[in-house]
């Protein structure tokens, strides 16, 4: 591909997303013959048909589906470099931010962020997603998400991250648990059966021995998809789990649960904003990170 062919990238993305040459032309504000000519050039470059005719326009081939994520990411990265050099005015901006977050952040932090943004940026919307994969680097590099909210990355990483707020973890159990009153020892903790938040696509808990050494000795009998999904199980049994103090307080009345201090020294854990370094100087992204930090302060 020659340098002059780089302008074919947005045309490919438009055809793929619109699945109609006429609609792609309208979106790009060029003529339909220009779109057809560009598509012919793309077919020559890749030696692939890329799209097949359909009753409503065109449908992508398997090859086109394979290259679309990279082409879409290339276009997003290029447009983000343009916006990075311009001032971001939240009062008039019409933009959607995509954030993937660990489940405990969905119940208070994200609603607080939205409430805060709504007051100063009426045309900005949020898309909040669960953490579907553990490949944060790929998700952020391809701009599937603008930000990820999770515990700090482990080990070496190229990703940037910043603590939003720190919170105390507690044991959570039924309000009427027969053996757990106002405190619990390590021996009692390990003698009970546990409910945990499961990591996506793995039989591992959200927190493990890398966080607190003794956790690998737990008898885990139920893995829930999120923090809220743990509560009905704990409410109606003698099982115990671990959750942030704010989550336990928020749902204590609804599920008749209580929090008891953890019997370990590692009780405070950080929740972080994680992003790709290519977005660090983008003005809109800086604004979003600042809003998230401000929302985090209300949780402290």
């Amino acid at each position: 591909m020659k340098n002059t062919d780089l302008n074919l990238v947005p045309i490919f993305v438009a055809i793929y997303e619109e699945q109609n040459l006429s609609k792609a032309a309208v979106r790009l504000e060029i003529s339909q013959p220009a779109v057809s000519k560009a598509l012919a050039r793309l077919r020559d470059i890749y030696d692939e048909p890329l799209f097949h005719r359909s009753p409503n326009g065109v449908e992508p081939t398997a090859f086109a589906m394979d290259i679309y994520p990279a082409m879409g990411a290339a276009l997003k990265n290029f447009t983000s470099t343009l916006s990075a050099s311009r001032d971001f005015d939240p009062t008039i901006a019409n933009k959607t931010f995509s954030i993937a977050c660990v489940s405990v952040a969905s119940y208070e932090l994200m609603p607080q962020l939205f409430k805060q943004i709504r007051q100063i940026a009426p045309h900005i919307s949020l898309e909040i997603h669960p953490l579907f994969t553990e490949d944060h680097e790929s998700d952020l590099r391809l701009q599937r998400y603008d930000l990820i909210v999770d515990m700090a990355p482990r080990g070496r990483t190229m990703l940037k991250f910043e603590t939003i707020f720190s919170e105390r973890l507690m044991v959570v159990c039924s309000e009427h648990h027969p053996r757990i009153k106002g405190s619990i020892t390590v021996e009692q903790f390990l003698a009970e059966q546990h409910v945990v938040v499961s990591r996506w696509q793995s039989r591992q808990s959200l927190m493990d021995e890398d966080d607190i050494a003794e956790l690998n000795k737990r008898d885990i009998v139920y893995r829930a998809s999120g923090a809220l999904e743990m509560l009905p199980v704990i409410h109606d049994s003698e099982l115990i789990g671990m959750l942030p103090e704010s989550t336990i307080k928020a749902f204590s009345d609804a599920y008749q649960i209580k929090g008891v201090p953890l019997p370990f020294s590692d009780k405070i854990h950080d929740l972080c904003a994680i992003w790709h370094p290519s977005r660090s100087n983008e003005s809109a992204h800086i604004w979003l990170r600042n809003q998230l930090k401000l929302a985090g302060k209300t949780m402290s």
Side-chain angles (χ1 to χ4, degrees), residues 142-167:
L142 295 175
Q143 294 194 22
R144 295 188 182 108
Y145 313 120
D146 295 300
L147 271 178
I148 287 176
V149 176
D150 195 3
M151 292 183 290
R154 294 169 179 164
R156 296 180 62 183
T157 179
M158 67 172 292
L159 298 176
K160 301 292 185 181
F161 60 95
E162 186 175 23
T163 298
I164 304 168
F165 70 93
S166 301
E167 188 166 18

Side-chain angles (χ1 to χ4, degrees), residues 220-237:
I220 298 171
V221 297
Y222 192 97
R223 298 180 186 275
S225 58
L228 189 58
E229 287 75 14
M230 291 173 60
L231 300 182
V233 183
I234 291 172
H235 154 73
D236 203 28
S237 73

Side-chain angles (χ1 to χ4, degrees), residues 60-274:
T61 64
F63 180 78
M65 292 179 188
D66 286 342
I67 66 173
Y68 168 73
M71 298 282 261
L75 181 59
K76 282 185 177 180
N77 285 331
F78 174 67
T79 54
S80 70
T81 62
L82 295 178
S83 62
S85 64
R86 295 195 293 263
D87 289 335
F88 176 73
D89 186 351
T91 62
I92 60 173
N94 189 344
K95 186 176 178 64
T96 299
F97 288 112
S98 178
I99 302 173
C101 66
V102 67
S103 60
V104 292
S106 301
Y107 311 126
E108 290 190 273
L109 181 62
M110 292 299 110
Q112 173 60 33
L113 175 65
F114 179 71
K115 176 183 176 182
Q116 196 174 284
I117 286 176
R118 204 67 178 166
Q119 294 173 349
I120 56 176
H123 306 297
I124 286 179
S125 57
L126 297 179
E127 285 181 357
I128 308 301
H129 303 268
L131 287 175
F132 282 125
T133 74
E134 295 173 34
D135 188 1
H136 293 356
E137 186 172 319
S138 176
D139 287 339
L140 292 167
R141 176 172 49 82
L142 295 175
Q143 294 194 22
R144 295 188 182 108
Y145 313 120
D146 295 300
L147 271 178
I148 287 176
V149 176
D150 195 3
M151 292 183 290
R154 294 169 179 164
R156 296 180 62 183
T157 179
M158 67 172 292
L159 298 176
K160 301 292 185 181
F161 60 95
E162 186 175 23
T163 298
I164 304 168
F165 70 93
S166 301
E167 188 166 18
R168 185 166 67 138
L169 281 176
M170 300 187 76
V171 174
V172 58
C173 64
S174 167
E175 194 174 67
H176 309 291
H177 197 287
R179 291 176 297 280
I180 300 175
K181 306 305 178 183
S183 64
I184 186 172
T185 66
V186 173
E187 291 73 23
Q188 287 176 313
F189 179 86
L190 296 177
E192 299 293 338
Q193 293 185 315
H194 290 251
V195 181
V196 300
V197 176
S198 184
R199 286 189 179 275
W200 180 254
Q201 293 182 333
S202 69
R203 290 187 174 181
Q204 296 177 333
S205 60
L206 190 61
M207 295 195 66
D208 55 28
E209 60 269 22
D210 290 335
D211 301 291
I212 300 173
E214 292 89 344
L215 295 187
N216 67 334
K217 301 175 184 176
R218 287 177 297 178
D219 179 13
I220 298 171
V221 297
Y222 192 97
R223 298 180 186 275
S225 58
L228 189 58
E229 287 75 14
M230 291 173 60
L231 300 182
V233 183
I234 291 172
H235 154 73
D236 203 28
S237 73
E238 295 180 7
L239 304 184
I240 69 172
M242 293 191 308
L243 285 176
E245 185 176 15
S246 64
T247 303
I248 297 172
K249 286 182 177 179
F251 295 101
S252 59
D253 291 338
Y255 288 99
Q256 294 184 316
I257 55 172
K258 65 182 178 182
V260 176
L262 273 176
F264 309 112
S265 58
D266 299 322
K267 300 175 183 178
I268 305 298
H269 291 271
D270 296 334
L271 204 59
C272 299
I274 307 168

